């Protein structure tokens, strides 16, 4: 027998001890409420260039990298997304290459000495992996596949595999690396010439190009740079002409080199002072596009990572610039601040007048060249984009009057790239950017899209867009859809003035704008059409000329409110664009005179007497600082505003007069507000890192929620008003339960959450993060699973992984519905029991927690039994065919088994034969309840029984027992009815009791009296509930009436 001791380096150690259940390691628990689902809005968000491959003669497939997975788009379908690779790579993807029907993706190696590899995908699924070797410790910057070779270019070496077997063949180390000169390493670009077998060209950091033989692993030739300080080789591309190679270097120069004779044929950008580095070169192969009429071949396109322009060259006659596609993508971040940009690749599709570009601005675009009339600069054909900067605002589209968007399908987002997007959670192809007008047409009029190179390189299309959106509001009740009138003029051109005049259109309108946004450092709030997905007609100016800080749209969709940094609040009509009201409303001259007289006669005693019942006059109550939030109630009767001055003001919607004021100054300043209309609660975030909840009806503070460590970036109510979800700058998203005030859930993320929104149906939570241009979607698991409401501590905050673009590792609603989490049930078993027995208010009539199907089945057991009764007697099974062996004649083989004689049965005990049977648990509990009048144990036992067992127990009640079980049963139900608990379950039990024992009730006077008491208690409770229901119906009718 082997020894149970574990021998270590220093001798034997102690025997392994069996762990008890409490000592066993517990696996990390998953998030109880929000589970990762998927990420929206990612198209080409990394530096990795796209890769393309023709699919027959009809279309092309273009594959982009979005981190750890690949997206494949079909060009013929308008860049529709067709494949998302799964599983995700363990590290970020660093290079891709499409070959035949497969896509190769190199991943990992960042930072150095990290895990790396190359995976092979086909139709979105991983089918193979290239052989790994111990020497692959660097990230692969570029992949190249030709013939029988797969080449990966790293920082100091080349890794070579066989394309047929995916086996590693050799590692080629640069000559400078072997000499120990680390400063002269491989620049990360390589290519092969179609006329050379087993040869590859590699760019170097010193500007030279080396020619290597992959089969022998030997260096054949080195092409030296024309000058000493040209910089590293940034791009290599063979030309359609044989033996010619295009070489781009870091100083911006481009050389067409004949590698057979080592001679420069054409030199471009050699003396230009404004040249930037080129990282992409491509040649048009349809033999058109050059010359004055576009009938000659010889067109080359170049692009770089530092700007968003694509330069088009005519190589005939020594080479010249024939056109510049300006602002094809956003400029690089060094020019545009936080907005990512620059072009990662520009490629002509084989044999087509099409150019495809991708950039760090999260965009993939295709451009087409017009032949008639000829244009050297292409126009946009297809575009697949997303936000180019981190998202700052999120909001699910509210429900329309006809319920068309009631399922939470659309999500609005605004980011630092000055764009507003509408995302579809059902189909990615429906997602679109809300148009701000024809920006390129306006830029062309201003000369920003000319052909010359002497224009201001700092000019960008982004300069023609509205500033960054800081706040937005939406209501679809008056949105006209595609039939809404746009006025026929330029967007935001009909700027209203302070006198209320506005230019209007005579065009018949079926609706008007439904979205209002405020912008960073801008005094105008702008309107947008949701149905037409474009900018609106109006730009509403703040009353004091300061920047817009908050906006709101009334639930009816007719009015927009704008709050400013100076404390003013103005209301505008969205249909006509006319100014309608100010908060506070200005005083008339007569009101001003009365106010002056009243102030002159006002004494200190009068002030103390009316402090509690102060009536505000017109013109009083303006905020002293930024208006950080605006809310309008459901009936357009009340406007609520909050400000950094620490005050909450409640205004009359029609008159603009201040009704009430809640002052928290100097205790705190209010930074934002959210309104939950069904419950009429508002939640306010404060600069002391708390969230305070106020009841609008009573105007009292009902909850204070603490726990955020950093500044609160965004928060929202759950659709049912039970939770408040808040994100703070400590990268934690917290969930509070409003009825209990407990922090019931928290997840810690890798980066701070900057914005969040809850879908109207409660299915999804959307979050945006500081280091990503995507939008993370989380599923709400509580729609199908129980969630405890116990308070959690900081130690219970769980780390969470963001949803992925591929949805891998995410959890859908169906998965949550069928998942069991025993840990939650164990941890919260006491809480569930307390929920079943606790009564919130003594006057509140409550139902039981027993499933509805259980007590309904109890009432209809006879019907269920009759329905399930077999219609025919059971039939004997058919005899087996003659050719199958029968078991009747088979005899067991007992030759090797020793038979043990069975002992005869013992005679029954005479003592046990006269012993009375033990009472059932129901009988014992009833007997105990009859003596103690404590009916709770018996009722809890009866409620836990399934319907069939409960029916048997009620039928088994003995009317001859002393004390009477029937009488005790009725008294137990009457006691539970007096407690106003388990209302439906008590009536179900009584219905079964009367149906079974109704013939016995009339002969027992005590039982009749008990039933009369039960009926009186039930009728009294019914009258009380009816009166309460009538009162509520009367109040609702009065509110809805026109009086």
């Amino acid at each position: 027998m082997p020894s149970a001791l574990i021998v270590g380096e220093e001798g034997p150690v102690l025997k392994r001890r069996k762990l008890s259940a409490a000592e066993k390691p517990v696996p990390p628990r998953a998030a109880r409420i929000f589970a990762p689902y998927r990420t929206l809005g990612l198209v080409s968000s990394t530096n990795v260039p796209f890769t393309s491959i023709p699919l027959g003669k009809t279309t092309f497939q273009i594959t982009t990298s979005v981190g750890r997975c690949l997206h494949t788009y079909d060009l013929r379908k308008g860049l529709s997304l067709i494949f998302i690779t799964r599983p995700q790579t363990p590290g970020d993807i660093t290079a891709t290459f499409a070959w035949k029907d497969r896509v190769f993706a190199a991943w990992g190696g960042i930072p150095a000495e990290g895990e790396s590899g190359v995976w092979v995908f086909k139709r979105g699924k991983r089918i193979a992996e290239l052989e790994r070797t111990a020497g692959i410790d660097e990230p692969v910057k570029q992949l190249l596949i030709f013939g029988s070779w797969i080449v990966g270019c790293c920082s100091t070496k080349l890794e070579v595999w066989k394309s047929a077997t995916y086996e590693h063949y050799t590692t080629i180390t640069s000559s400078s690396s072997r000499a120990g000169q680390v400063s002269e390493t491989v620049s990360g670009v390589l290519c092969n010439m179609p006329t050379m077998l087993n040869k590859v060209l590699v760019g170097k950091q010193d500007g030279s190009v080396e020619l290597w033989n992959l089969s022998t692993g030997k260096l054949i030739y080195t092409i030296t740079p024309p000058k000493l300080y040209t910089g590293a080789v940034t791009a290599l591309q063979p030309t359609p002409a044989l033996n010619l190679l295009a070489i781009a270097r870091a100083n911006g120069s481009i050389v067409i080199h004949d590698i057979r004779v080592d001679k420069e044929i054409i030199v471009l950008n050699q003396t230009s002072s404004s040249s930037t580095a080129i990282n992409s070169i491509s040649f048009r192969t349809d033999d058109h596009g050059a010359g004055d009429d576009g009938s000659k071949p010889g067109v080359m396109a170049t692009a770089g990572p530092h700007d968003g322009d694509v330069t088009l060259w005519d190589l005939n006659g020594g080479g010249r610039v024939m056109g510049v596609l300006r602002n094809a993508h956003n400029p690089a971040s060094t020019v545009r601040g936080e907005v990512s940009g620059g072009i990662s690749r520009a490629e002509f599709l084989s044999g087509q007048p099409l150019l495809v570009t991708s950039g760090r601005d999260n965009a993939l675009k295709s451009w087409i060249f017009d032949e008639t009339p000829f244009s050297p600069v292409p126009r946009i054909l297809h575009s697949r984009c997303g936000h180019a900067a981190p998202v700052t605002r999120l909001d699910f589209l509210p429900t329309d009057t006809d319920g068309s968007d009631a399922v939470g399908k659309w999500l609005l987002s605004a980011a630092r790239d000055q764009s507003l997007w509408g995302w579809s959670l059902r189909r990615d192809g429906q997602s679109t950017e809300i148009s701000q007008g024809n920006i390129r047409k306006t830029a062309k009029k201003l000369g920003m899209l000319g052909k010359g190179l002497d224009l201001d390189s700092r000019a960008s299309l982004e300069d023609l867009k509205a500033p960054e959106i800081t706040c937005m509001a939406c209501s679809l009740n008056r949105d006209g859809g595609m039939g809404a009138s746009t006025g026929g003029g330029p967007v935001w051109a009909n700027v209203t003035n302070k006198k209320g005049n506005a230019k209007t259109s005579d065009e018949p309108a079926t609706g008007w704008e439904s979205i209002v946004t405020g912008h960073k450092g801008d005094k105008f709030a702008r309107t947008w059409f949701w149905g037409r997905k474009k900018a609106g007609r109006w730009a509403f100016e703040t009353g004091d000329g300061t920047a817009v800080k908050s906006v709101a749209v009334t639930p009816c969709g007719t009015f927009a409110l704008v709050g400013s940094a100076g404390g003013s609040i103005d209301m505008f009509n969205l249909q006509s664009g006319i100014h309608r009201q100010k908060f506070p409303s200005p005083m008339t001259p007569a009101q001003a005179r009365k106010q002056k007289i009243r102030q002159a006669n006002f004494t200190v005693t009068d002030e103390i007497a009316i402090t509690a019942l102060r009536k505000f006059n017109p013109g009083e109550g303006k905020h002293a600082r930024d208006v950080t939030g605006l809310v309008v109630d459901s009936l357009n009767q009340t406007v609520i505003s909050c400000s950094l001055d620490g005050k909450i003001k409640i205004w009359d919607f029609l008159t603009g007069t201040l009704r009430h004021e809640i002052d928290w100054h100097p205790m705190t300043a209010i930074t934002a507000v959210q309104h939950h209309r069904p419950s009429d609660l508002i939640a306010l975030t404060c600069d002391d890192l708390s969230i305070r909840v106020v009841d609008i009806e009573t105007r009292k503070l009902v909850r204070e929620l603490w726990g955020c460590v950093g500044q609160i970036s965004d928060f929202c109510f759950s659709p049912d008003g039970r939770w408040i979800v808040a994100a703070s700058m400590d990268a934690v998203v917290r969930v509070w339960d409003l009825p209990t005030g407990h922090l019931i859930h928290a997840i810690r993320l890798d980066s701070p959450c900057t914005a969040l929104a809850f879908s109207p149906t409660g299915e999804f939570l959307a979050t945006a993060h500081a280091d990503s241009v995507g939008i993370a979607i989380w599923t709400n698991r509580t729609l199908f699973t129980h969630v405890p409401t116990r308070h959690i501590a900081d130690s219970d905050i769980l780390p969470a992984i963001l949803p992925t673009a591929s949805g891998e590792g995410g959890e859908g609603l169906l998965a949550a519905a069928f998942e069991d989490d025993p840990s939650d049930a164990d941890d919260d078993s006491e809480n569930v029991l307390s929920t079943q027995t606790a009564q919130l208010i003594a006057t509140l009539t409550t139902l039981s927690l027993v499933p509805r199907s259980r007590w309904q089945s109890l009432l209809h057991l006879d019907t269920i039994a009759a329905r399930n009764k077999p219609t025919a007697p059971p039939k004997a099974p058919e005899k087996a065919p003659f050719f199958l062996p029968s078991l009747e004649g088979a005899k067991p083989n007992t030759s090797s088994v020793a038979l043990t004689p069975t002992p005869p049965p013992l005679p029954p005990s005479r003592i046990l034969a006269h012993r009375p049977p033990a009472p059932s648990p129901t009988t014992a509990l009833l007997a105990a309840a009859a003596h103690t009048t404590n009916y709770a144990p018996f009722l809890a036992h009866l409620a836990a029984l399934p319907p069939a067992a409960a029916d048997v127990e009620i039928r088994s009640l003995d009317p001859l027992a002393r004390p009477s079980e029937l009488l005790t049963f009725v008294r137990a139900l009457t006691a539970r009815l007096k407690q106003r608990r388990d209302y439906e379950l008590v009536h179900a039990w009584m219905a079964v009791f009367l149906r079974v024992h109704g013939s016995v009730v009339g002969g027992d006077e005590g039982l009749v009296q008990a039933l009369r008491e039960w009926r009186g208690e039930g009728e009294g409770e019914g009258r009380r509930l009816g009166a309460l229901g009538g009162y509520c119906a009367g109040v609702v009718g009065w509110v809805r009436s026109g009086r």
Side-chain angles (χ1 to χ4, degrees):
M1 178 177 177
S3 172
L5 294 179
I6 303 174
V7 180
E9 296 180 356
E10 300 179 357
V13 297
L14 295 177
K15 183 178 179 180
R16 287 178 177 172
R17 181 172 53 92
K18 183 178 180 180
L19 298 177
S20 64
E23 296 174 337
K24 290 182 179 179
V26 180
R29 295 172 54 185
R32 292 182 299 178
I33 296 181
F34 298 118
Y37 179 43
R38 57 175 299 201
T39 299
L40 298 176
L42 297 180
V43 178
S44 176
S45 56
T46 65
N47 281 325
V48 180
F50 70 87
T51 179
S52 65
I53 189 170
L55 192 64
K57 297 181 179 180
T58 57
T59 186
F60 289 81
Q61 287 186 353
I62 301 170
T63 302
T64 63
S65 169
V66 291
R68 297 191 176 188
C69 73
L70 303 176
H71 287 186
T72 301
Y73 301 90
D74 191 293
L75 182 65
R76 186 178 60 178
K77 297 180 181 179
L79 293 180
S80 296
L81 181 64
I82 56 175
F83 299 124
I84 300 178
T85 58
R86 293 186 180 185
Q88 284 201 127
T89 56
D92 291 338
I93 295 175
T94 58
T96 60
F97 194 88
W99 184 63
K100 295 183 178 180
D101 59 347
R102 303 171 187 182
V103 178
F104 293 74
W107 54 267
I110 303 175
E113 279 77 37
E115 187 182 11
S116 62
V118 180
W119 284 3
V120 186
F121 295 94
K122 181 178 179 180
R123 300 182 63 86
K125 297 180 179 179
R126 192 185 82 167
I127 60 172
E129 180 180 6
L130 269 62
E131 181 185 359
R132 298 192 194 183
T133 60
I136 305 179
D137 53 359
E138 298 176 354
V140 176
K141 296 182 178 181
Q142 184 178 346
L143 281 174
L144 178 65
I145 305 176
F146 66 97
S148 59
W149 307 106
I150 301 175
V151 186
C153 183
C154 303
S155 300
T156 60
K157 55 190 175 182
L158 302 180
E159 299 291 345
V160 184
W161 294 268
K162 284 285 189 178
S163 61
T165 60
Y166 301 150
E167 295 178 353
H168 187 264
Y169 179 73
T170 185
T171 299
I172 299 176
T173 305
S174 172
S175 58
S176 56
S177 299
R178 285 197 295 262
Q181 301 175 10
V182 183
S183 60
E184 298 180 3
T185 56
V186 178
S187 63
V189 294
L190 74 162
C191 73
N192 72 297
M193 301 298 293
T195 57
M196 293 187 177
L197 185 64
N198 302 332
K199 309 296 190 304
V200 66
L201 292 155
V202 183
K204 301 294 292 301
Q205 290 286 352
D206 60 357
S208 63
V209 178
E210 293 181 346
L211 180 63
W212 289 84
N213 188 317
L214 299 180
S215 180
T216 61
K218 294 181 179 181
L219 177 63
I220 299 175
Y221 191 77
T222 300
I223 302 174
T224 58
K227 295 182 180 180
L228 185 59
Y229 301 104
T230 59
V233 176
T234 56
L236 292 174
Q237 182 67 31
T239 68
L242 297 180
N243 302 319
L244 296 185
L245 175 69
I247 305 173
R249 293 182 171 89
N251 63 349
S253 64
I254 306 171
V255 177
I256 306 298
H257 201 95
D258 189 338
I259 60 173
R260 289 189 63 184
V261 297
D262 192 8
K263 180 181 179 181
E264 295 179 354
I265 305 300
I266 301 176
V267 180
L268 305 173
N269 268 359
Q270 189 173 11
T271 59
S272 177
S273 59
S274 60
S275 300
T276 58
I278 302 298
N279 67 345
S280 179
I281 301 175
S282 183
F283 293 92
R284 186 171 172 177
T285 58
D286 63 341
D287 296 335
H288 290 86
D292 296 334
D293 57 354
S295 59
K296 298 180 180 180
V299 177
M300 179 180 70
T302 60
H306 301 301
D307 56 25
D309 300 339
V310 178
T311 305
L312 300 168
W313 303 81
D314 185 351
L315 299 181
N316 297 287
R320 64 181 180 88
V321 176
M322 59 182 297
V324 178
L325 179 58
R326 296 223 175 248
N327 290 282
H329 293 268
N330 286 335
S333 58
T334 56
V335 180
R336 300 298 305 167
E338 298 176 346
V339 180
S340 299
I343 296 178
S344 58
R345 185 170 188 179
E347 179 185 352
F348 282 104
L349 297 183
S350 177
Q352 303 293 328
L354 295 176
L355 178 69
V356 179
T357 61
S358 68
R360 281 295 308 276
D361 59 350
N362 197 26
L364 177 67
K365 300 178 181 181
S366 64
W367 311 80
I368 187 170
F369 290 84
D370 291 327
E371 297 181 1
T372 306
F374 169 69
S375 174
V377 178
R379 59 178 173 85
I380 189 71
L381 179 62
H382 300 121
S383 176
R384 194 66 184 255
C385 306
H387 283 297
V391 177
T392 56
R393 298 295 304 169
L394 286 175
D395 193 8
F396 274 91
L397 214 62
T399 304
D400 199 353
T401 52
D402 60 357
S404 59
D405 286 302
V407 295
K409 170 186 174 181
W410 289 98
L411 175 66
L412 288 175
S413 66
R416 295 179 184 143
D417 61 353
Q418 304 164 239
S419 64
L420 178 65
W421 275 78
W423 301 98
S424 173
L425 270 67
R426 292 182 182 174
R427 189 174 181 181
D428 287 340
Q430 295 179 348
S431 302
T432 181
E433 181 181 1
I434 312 298
S435 172
Q436 300 189 28
N438 197 334
I439 301 295
R440 298 191 66 86
K441 183 178 180 181
T442 305
K444 189 174 293 185
K445 290 181 179 180
L446 298 176
M448 295 175 58
L449 299 182
K451 299 180 181 180
L453 297 177
D454 54 347
L455 298 176
D456 186 4
S457 61
R458 294 171 297 177
S460 169
L461 295 182
E462 305 301 318
D463 298 326
L464 301 179
K465 291 186 176 182
E468 174 190 336
I469 295 175
T470 57
C471 54
M472 60 182 175
C474 178
S475 176
L476 295 182
N477 287 334
R478 294 295 183 181
D479 186 83
M482 291 301 296
S485 172
T486 60
V491 298
W492 304 319
N494 301 334
V495 181
T496 60
N497 55 31
K498 298 180 182 179
K499 296 181 180 180
N501 299 323
K503 300 178 182 179
T504 59
S505 174
D506 296 333
E507 206 177 309
T510 59
W512 47 83
E513 294 90 334
S514 54
I515 303 174
V516 179
T517 57
H519 302 262
K520 186 176 182 179
D522 193 5
K523 64 179 180 180
F524 293 104
R526 292 168 168 81
T527 60
W528 309 73
F529 289 97
W530 167 250
R532 298 180 69 95
K533 306 294 190 298
K534 63 172 295 183
R537 301 164 292 172
W538 315 119
F540 300 136
E541 185 180 1
T542 56
D544 53 6
T546 57
V548 176
K549 290 298 181 181
S550 57
V551 293
V553 178
T554 57
C556 64
T558 306
F559 301 98
L561 287 86
V562 181
S564 72
S568 69
I569 304 173
D570 297 89
M571 183 171 68
F572 300 86
N573 188 294
L574 284 171
Q575 183 181 11
S576 62
I578 299 176
H579 184 276
R580 289 301 186 188
Q581 187 62 271
K582 291 182 67 69
F583 300 89
S585 59
M587 289 191 297
T588 63
Q591 291 173 338
R593 287 194 296 270
K594 290 182 180 180
Q595 176 69 9
K596 189 177 294 184
I597 295 173
R598 190 180 298 110
Q599 290 178 354
N601 299 330
F602 204 68
T603 62
V604 177
T605 305
D606 296 332
E607 183 179 358
I608 297 174
I610 66 173
T611 299
L613 300 174
R614 181 181 178 184
K615 182 178 180 181
F616 297 92
N617 298 307
E620 292 184 346
K622 180 181 178 182
H623 284 290
R625 296 185 62 187
D626 300 6
V627 178
T628 54
L630 290 171
V631 166
V632 183
D633 71 338
S634 302
L635 301 176
N636 284 6
Q637 294 182 349
T638 304
V639 176
I640 302 169
S641 63
C642 61
S643 171
L644 291 179
D645 59 8
K647 296 180 180 179
I648 307 170
K649 298 181 183 290
I650 302 176
W651 310 84
D652 186 271
F653 182 86
L654 297 177
T655 64
T657 306
L658 184 62
R659 288 180 180 175
H660 188 74
E661 180 182 278
I662 303 175
D663 192 358
W664 291 343
H665 179 76
M667 179 177 60
T668 187
I670 305 171
T671 57
V673 64
Q674 291 286 348
H675 182 214
H676 187 255
R677 287 193 173 95
S679 62
D680 226 12
L681 296 176
I682 58 173
L684 306 107
T685 56
C686 305
D687 61 355
D688 59 358
L689 308 183
S690 69
I691 300 176
R692 292 175 168 87
V693 183
V694 176
D695 188 345
I696 298 178
E697 185 67 26
T698 62
R699 300 169 184 174
K700 291 183 178 180
L701 179 67
V702 295
R703 284 289 184 273
E704 283 191 5
L705 307 176
W706 300 84
C708 293
V709 178
Q711 177 185 356
I712 300 174
S713 55
D714 201 3
F715 72 111
C716 65
F717 279 98
S718 62
D720 58 0
R722 186 177 180 88
W723 300 339
I724 285 183
V725 185
S728 55
M729 298 310 293
D730 59 346
V732 176
V733 176
R734 295 174 172 86
V735 183
W736 285 273
D737 184 68
L738 278 183
T740 61
H742 291 169
L743 176 66
I744 60 173
H745 184 56
I747 52 176
R748 188 178 303 278
L749 306 171
D750 294 334
S751 62
C753 176
T754 56
L756 55 83
F758 225 126
S759 65
T761 56
E763 293 176 288
F764 302 108
L765 176 74
T767 59
H769 302 272
D771 62 349
S772 174
V773 296
I775 302 171
I777 306 297
W778 309 73
T779 55
N780 182 7
R781 301 178 71 251
T782 62
L783 295 179
F784 300 100
T785 59
H786 169 71
V787 173
T789 57
R790 63 177 179 85
H791 183 78
I792 65 172
D794 292 340
S795 58
D796 297 327
I797 298 179
L798 304 174
I801 300 176
L802 287 176
T804 62
S806 63
E808 182 189 356
E811 182 174 349
L813 295 177
L814 291 179
F818 294 103
E819 179 180 336
D820 257 343
D821 194 352
S823 59
D824 282 350
D826 295 341
D827 293 345
D828 201 53
S829 57
E830 297 180 359
N831 193 20
V832 173
L833 293 177
S834 64
T835 305
Q836 293 177 349
T837 58
Q839 188 80 349
L840 296 177
I841 306 174
T843 58
L844 184 67
T845 299
T846 59
L847 304 178
S848 68
L849 295 180
V850 175
R852 183 178 179 180
S853 59
R854 180 176 293 184
W855 61 265
Q856 282 187 341
S857 300
L858 179 63
L859 293 173
H860 304 92
L861 275 180
D862 296 337
T863 304
I864 296 173
R867 183 183 61 192
N868 296 337
K869 185 178 180 180
T871 57
K875 297 180 179 180
E878 297 181 359
K879 293 184 178 181
F882 69 92
F883 53 81
L884 294 180
S886 176
L887 296 178
E888 294 180 358
K891 295 182 180 180
N893 183 11
T894 58
S895 59
S896 59
V897 180
L899 296 179
T900 305
T902 305
L906 298 176
S909 173
R910 289 178 295 173
I911 299 176
L912 295 178
H914 298 283
R915 183 178 179 180
S920 66
T922 303
T923 303
L925 291 173
L926 270 177
H931 293 91
T932 62
T933 67
N934 180 17
Y935 305 104
F938 164 69
L939 294 175
H941 168 72
L942 192 61
L945 296 177
D951 181 78
V952 170
E953 293 294 346
I954 295 176
R955 291 177 182 273
S956 302
L957 295 177
D958 187 4
L960 302 179
R962 290 293 177 268
S964 175
E965 292 183 356
L966 301 182
L967 183 61
T968 306
F969 182 83
V970 174
R971 287 175 178 174
L973 298 189
T974 305
R976 182 53 60 97
L977 202 59
K978 289 180 179 180
Q979 296 174 354
R980 299 190 175 95
R981 298 178 59 185
D982 303 342
Y983 189 79
E984 86 288 8
L985 200 56
V986 168
H987 282 77
W989 288 336
M990 181 57 72
V992 176
F993 173 82
L994 294 177
R995 186 170 63 232
V996 174
H997 302 285
S999 59
V1000 185
V1001 170
D1004 191 339
E1005 185 61 29
L1007 191 57
V1008 171
Q1009 185 63 31
L1011 286 173
R1012 286 175 180 171
E1013 182 182 358
W1014 181 88
R1015 184 180 64 179
E1017 189 66 31
E1019 291 176 350
E1021 185 64 17
R1023 288 192 297 269
R1024 188 180 74 90
L1025 293 178
L1028 290 175
Y1031 172 77
C1032 295
V1035 170
V1036 173
W1038 178 81
V1039 170
R1040 290 182 175 178
S1041 64
R1043 294 173 294 177

